[in-house]
Amino acid sequence: MQLLVSPASPFVRKVRVLIREAKLMDTVEEIDVSTTPMNSAPDVVAANPIGKIPALIRADGPGIYDSRVITRFLDDLAGTDLYPQSRIWEILTLEATADGIMDAAVSMTYEARLRPEAKQSSAWIEAQWAKAARGIAAVNSRWMSHLTGPLNIGQIGMACALSYVDLRHDDRGWRNGNEALANWHADFAARDSMVATKPA
């Protein structure tokens, strides 16, 4: 199988971390692609008509896409139980919260990088940051117990979301007032899978 990737994407990184944690490196080949929301690369569109990455190309079926679909598929393939049934709704909600933080943070990046400066909306950027900040605060205050224990996809997603905020929006100081989550992230970011997938 081939995974279409761009290393800076937090959605891609979530899948790449899972691949390493599930020991699927010999099963999934990672293919770097150059694509943007304004100009989707043809090979990306061929795998995902929406034109987004990550996308997983399979030999025995159509390509699958959306990071949550791919991680669920690979978890099932590897039998790693990163979606434990005993806590499935909590884990899925935590993953969705992480993806929401990613969505907001990526939207901020796109607004600043892809729109002409004269057309950029500071109100839009601040509204997106408010979403990310609420998600981070909610995890810090209500979800820390779900970030402990055996590895699950919520942990991977949250680590990748926070690391992306560090990468693109470090000046926002997300750690202020979220010390428990900050301490957890420092430990999780030291995992081999996170170190190996850190954008250059």
Side-chain angles (χ1 to χ4, degrees):
M1 291 182 287
Q2 293 181 323
L3 181 71
L4 303 185
V5 307
S6 179
S9 165
F11 297 100
V12 166
R13 190 178 187 188
K14 182 172 71 166
V15 179
R16 296 182 70 218
V17 168
L18 184 149
I19 287 170
R20 284 152 181 80
E21 294 286 354
K23 297 179 172 50
L24 291 172
M25 291 296 293
D26 293 335
T27 303
V28 182
E29 178 187 9
E30 296 175 2
I31 307 294
D32 283 325
V33 294
S34 295
T35 190
T36 74
M38 305 295 288
N39 186 21
S40 297
D43 47 352
V44 175
V45 173
N48 175 4
I50 308 302
K52 291 184 175 183
I53 52 173
L56 185 69
I57 301 171
R58 303 179 295 165
D60 59 350
I64 60 175
Y65 43 88
D66 188 283
S67 65
R68 279 180 276 190
V69 175
I70 297 171
T71 53
R72 196 73 180 261
F73 172 80
L74 293 176
D75 176 61
D76 185 70
L77 178 69
T80 40
D81 198 29
L82 297 177
Y83 291 87
Q85 284 301 311
S86 61
R87 295 189 294 159
I88 189 62
W89 303 117
E90 291 80 5
I91 297 302
L92 288 175
T93 301
L94 184 58
E95 182 185 18
T97 304
D99 280 7
I101 294 168
M102 293 181 201
D103 271 328
V106 168
S107 292
M108 292 168 66
T109 301
Y110 287 166
E111 182 72 10
R113 291 188 169 199
L114 299 180
R115 287 175 65 86
E117 187 174 356
K119 295 184 178 181
Q120 291 175 19
S121 169
S122 59
W124 169 262
I125 291 173
E126 293 308 314
Q128 298 311 303
W129 175 248
K131 294 176 185 179
R134 288 195 302 268
I136 291 169
V139 173
N140 184 77
S141 64
R142 301 197 298 267
W143 288 90
M144 293 305 301
S145 64
H146 295 282
L147 294 177
T148 61
L151 183 68
N152 63 65
I153 196 63
Q155 296 170 3
I156 293 173
M158 189 56 58
C160 292
L162 297 174
S163 292
Y164 182 80
V165 174
D166 282 341
L167 177 68
R168 298 295 191 216
H169 310 292
D170 188 47
D171 59 326
R172 294 286 179 164
W174 70 264
R175 290 171 175 81
N176 296 330
N178 297 302
E179 286 75 14
L181 185 57
N183 291 335
W184 172 86
H185 178 256
D187 288 339
F188 197 95
R191 292 178 75 95
D192 290 345
S193 60
M194 290 292 290
V195 173
T197 58
K198 185 176 181 178

